[in-house]
Amino acid sequence: MSKIKKFFSRKKAEAAFKLNLSGSGMGTGHKLNSPKQETPSSSSRQKYEAYVPPKRNEISNEARAAASAALARIDKKTSRDFNTSLSAVKAQAKRELEAERRQREEAMGTASTTSTSTSASGGDTRNLACEGVFFRCPLISEEILPKSVWKVRIKEFLYQQLEADRGLTACLIIHNCNVKEKADECIATLIRYLENLIKNPEEEKFCKIRMSNKIFSEKVRYVEGALDVLQAAGFNEVQIDDEPFLLWTKEQTEKDLDLPTLVEALKSSEIIPLELDRNIKVLLPSQARRVVLPDEFYRLSPEEIKKEQQLRAEAIAQSQMLRTKAMREREEQRNLRMYRYALVRVKFPNGLFIQGTFNVYEKIADVFEFVQSCLADESLDFSLVSNSEGKLGDEDLEKTLYDCKLIPNALLLFSANDVPAPLQTDINYLKEDLLMLVQAM
């Protein structure tokens, strides 16, 4: 079975599953005098599957040679390699935590703290926060790429599948290669054409489409994938009285495809989904000070954000009035809506940080799942504490990052519930293979 057919089979199965859920959503019944069944406690947090790093494609010989050359250049610039062994990472984290403690003590006794903190944090100018937002597309491959690259890859993939499954593939091309408004109008028009044929296959007016027709020209003719759908349905271009028409014959319908199936495919087709990659990183204390978010995190372009902020500042300056609490809350909500993604960092007692990228509408439960999947002991009972929200409990699991205002970037503190506080700084909580992700100084 081709990937396209598997895609529609999966969508059909998902639709049937949702239908079954809605049909029996009240659950199974029981007698009033029957023993009460035990229900799982809501306070116990769900345990999740272990984090499995996504598979990456084998690199080509050219890429391998380029990587070797780059590593050689790095070796010349640095006198020593960064040691990512467990003991070395722990030692480095301890040294940095101790340096931070001494710096805080000095800051309390001297007025020249600004210059020292600037010089301490300004040594590494790289953006260790995030280079961008990356995605996977399981339908096509396990590569991890930016959304802009995936759009090109998806289009190329669909056109490669066109010869094998023209009808089903063309339905996806309409959704993935056109503006949403045009795609929706085109699909509605195509469904009307095909349903008329299904109901009246012998009626001549439904068996041909004049290509100069205004509705056809505006809503179908110049939409990518639309003519391929009609071709798969059995329409072929002919000249009638020196005018181009699409003429339908049943014999020209694509093999193993009938009109009702094609109509169903048009109704169920959608944009091929991309899965957000966490882009996980492990950072030392000194590397977790700077947060510079890339443009992909914003719903608006940087120019639009600057313009909007300038207009708001001018409006406030002109009004010269005190803002009420309700006005401040509305302003805060407008600012939060600027972001698509959130960068979440979790600080462990031993000084290390893990970092992941989330959609702003993902739930707090997804953050717990992410943290748990990175732990060497996934059965460890732990808590996460936010500066703004306090300790995140079971009642917060269904809230989104947007609801908890943990955007565009948030720092959460990790605490092992069953480990005494004095011992927590000496424990390595992360899987050892994740320590290989520690960024070299």
Side-chain angles (χ1 to χ4, degrees):
M1 184 183 291
S2 70
K3 288 186 176 182
I4 300 297
K5 288 181 179 176
K6 285 181 181 178
F7 175 83
F8 280 101
S9 297
R10 187 170 67 252
K11 298 306 295 181
K12 194 172 182 180
E14 289 174 359
F17 177 71
K18 290 178 182 178
L19 185 63
N20 289 337
L21 281 181
S22 62
S24 56
M26 299 301 292
T28 56
H30 65 277
K31 295 180 180 179
L32 292 176
N33 59 357
S34 64
K36 186 177 180 180
Q37 295 181 351
E38 293 186 3
T39 57
S41 173
S42 60
S43 61
S44 59
R45 194 166 57 246
Q46 181 181 357
K47 301 298 182 184
Y48 300 93
E49 294 295 326
Y51 173 80
V52 180
K55 296 181 180 178
R56 300 175 185 268
N57 285 2
E58 287 292 327
I59 61 175
S60 63
N61 292 331
E62 293 81 0
R64 198 183 302 276
S68 300
L71 289 174
R73 288 194 298 272
I74 293 173
D75 289 338
K76 290 181 181 178
K77 292 180 181 179
T78 56
S79 58
R80 63 181 179 84
D81 292 332
F82 182 74
N83 192 344
T84 58
S85 68
L86 174 59
S87 58
V89 171
K90 288 175 67 176
Q92 178 69 17
K94 281 187 176 181
R95 284 195 296 271
E96 293 187 4
L97 284 175
E98 182 63 23
E100 284 187 354
R101 184 186 64 78
R102 288 197 302 270
Q103 190 178 19
R104 285 196 300 270
E105 291 176 353
E106 292 173 2
M108 295 175 65
T110 178
S112 59
T113 56
T114 305
S115 60
T116 57
S117 63
T118 304
S119 60
S121 61
D124 189 358
T125 58
R126 293 172 299 157
N127 179 15
L128 292 177
C130 189
E131 295 91 355
V133 182
F134 299 91
F135 298 84
R136 292 189 300 273
C137 184
L139 177 66
I140 300 178
S141 73
E142 288 298 320
E143 290 180 282
I144 299 174
L145 302 167
K147 183 178 287 186
S148 58
V149 178
W150 270 124
K151 286 183 178 180
V152 177
R153 291 287 185 90
I154 288 173
K155 186 172 182 177
E156 291 174 351
F157 167 77
L158 290 175
Y159 275 98
Q160 288 169 2
Q161 307 298 313
L162 202 55
E163 283 300 318
D165 296 295
R166 183 171 297 275
L168 299 181
T169 303
C171 294
L172 291 176
I173 288 176
I174 294 175
H175 266 291
N176 289 273
C177 302
N178 298 284
V179 180
K180 186 180 185 304
E181 292 74 16
K182 284 188 176 181
D184 291 342
E185 289 180 352
C186 175
I187 285 176
T189 306
L190 291 174
I191 289 174
R192 189 159 59 248
Y193 287 153
L194 298 181
E195 286 182 340
N196 285 337
L197 265 178
I198 293 170
K199 295 174 183 176
N200 308 282
E202 304 299 329
E203 197 160 337
E204 183 181 355
K205 67 176 181 179
F206 296 132
C207 295
K208 62 182 180 181
I209 302 171
R210 189 171 75 252
M211 299 184 72
S212 59
N213 178 274
K214 183 179 179 181
I215 293 178
F216 180 82
S217 297
E218 291 180 353
K219 297 185 178 181
V220 177
R221 187 169 186 175
Y222 301 106
V223 176
E224 286 194 65
L227 294 181
D228 291 295
V229 169
L230 292 173
Q231 181 181 339
F235 284 91
N236 282 306
E237 186 174 345
V238 297
Q239 293 288 327
I240 300 177
D241 297 331
D242 295 328
E243 192 175 356
F245 278 79
L246 289 176
L247 185 64
W248 178 79
T249 55
K250 187 176 182 179
E251 294 73 24
Q252 294 295 326
T253 304
E254 182 181 341
K255 185 180 179 182
D256 299 328
L257 181 69
D258 54 26
L259 296 185
T261 301
L262 192 54
V263 169
E264 186 60 34
L266 284 169
K267 291 179 179 179
S268 61
S269 60
E270 60 183 24
I271 293 176
I272 292 177
L274 296 177
E275 295 181 359
L276 179 65
D277 182 68
R278 294 289 181 227
N279 192 21
I280 183 172
K281 288 187 178 181
V282 181
L283 303 176
L284 293 165
S286 62
Q287 299 168 327
R289 294 174 185 170
R290 300 176 67 248
V291 177
V292 181
L293 297 178
D295 295 345
E296 294 93 328
F297 271 66
Y298 297 87
R299 295 185 184 277
L300 305 175
S301 67
E303 293 77 15
E304 290 173 323
I305 292 173
K306 289 179 182 178
K307 186 176 180 181
E308 186 171 343
Q309 290 175 339
Q310 183 179 358
L311 291 174
R312 289 178 186 172
E314 291 175 356
I316 293 172
Q318 289 174 3
S319 62
Q320 292 296 322
M321 65 176 184
L322 294 175
R323 293 185 296 168
T324 64
K325 181 181 178 181
M327 293 172 65
R328 289 195 299 271
E329 289 178 350
R330 285 197 298 270
E331 179 75 13
E332 185 178 14
Q333 291 299 321
R334 281 197 296 269
N335 290 336
L336 291 178
R337 283 196 291 269
M338 288 183 182
Y339 301 97
R340 294 178 185 272
Y341 305 103
L343 191 72
V344 176
R345 283 177 175 172
V346 179
K347 184 178 181 179
F348 290 86
N350 61 4
L352 291 180
F353 293 74
I354 58 171
Q355 173 180 289
T357 305
F358 292 78
N359 188 290
V360 296
Y361 297 115
E362 288 193 73
K363 297 180 179 180
I364 299 299
D366 296 318
V367 178
F368 273 95
E369 175 185 355
F370 166 68
V371 175
Q372 187 176 42
S373 67
C374 296
L375 298 179
D377 179 11
E378 293 191 17
S379 63
L380 182 68
D381 186 25
F382 64 92
S383 301
L384 296 177
V385 180
S386 163
N387 291 334
S388 60
E389 295 293 307
K391 184 177 179 180
L392 299 174
D394 296 325
E395 67 278 3
D396 300 310
L397 294 180
E398 291 303 309
K399 294 180 181 178
T400 65
L401 293 172
Y402 179 89
D403 295 333
C404 295
K405 300 178 183 178
L406 298 178
I407 57 176
N409 55 278
L411 175 62
L412 303 177
L413 303 179
F414 177 97
S415 176
N417 294 334
D418 299 329
V419 179
L423 301 179
Q424 292 200 25
T425 56
D426 296 324
I427 298 176
N428 173 53
Y429 298 92
L430 298 177
K431 295 176 179 175
E432 291 197 24
D433 58 336
L434 288 179
L435 294 179
M436 299 298 294
L437 300 176
V438 173
Q439 301 289 316
M441 293 294 290

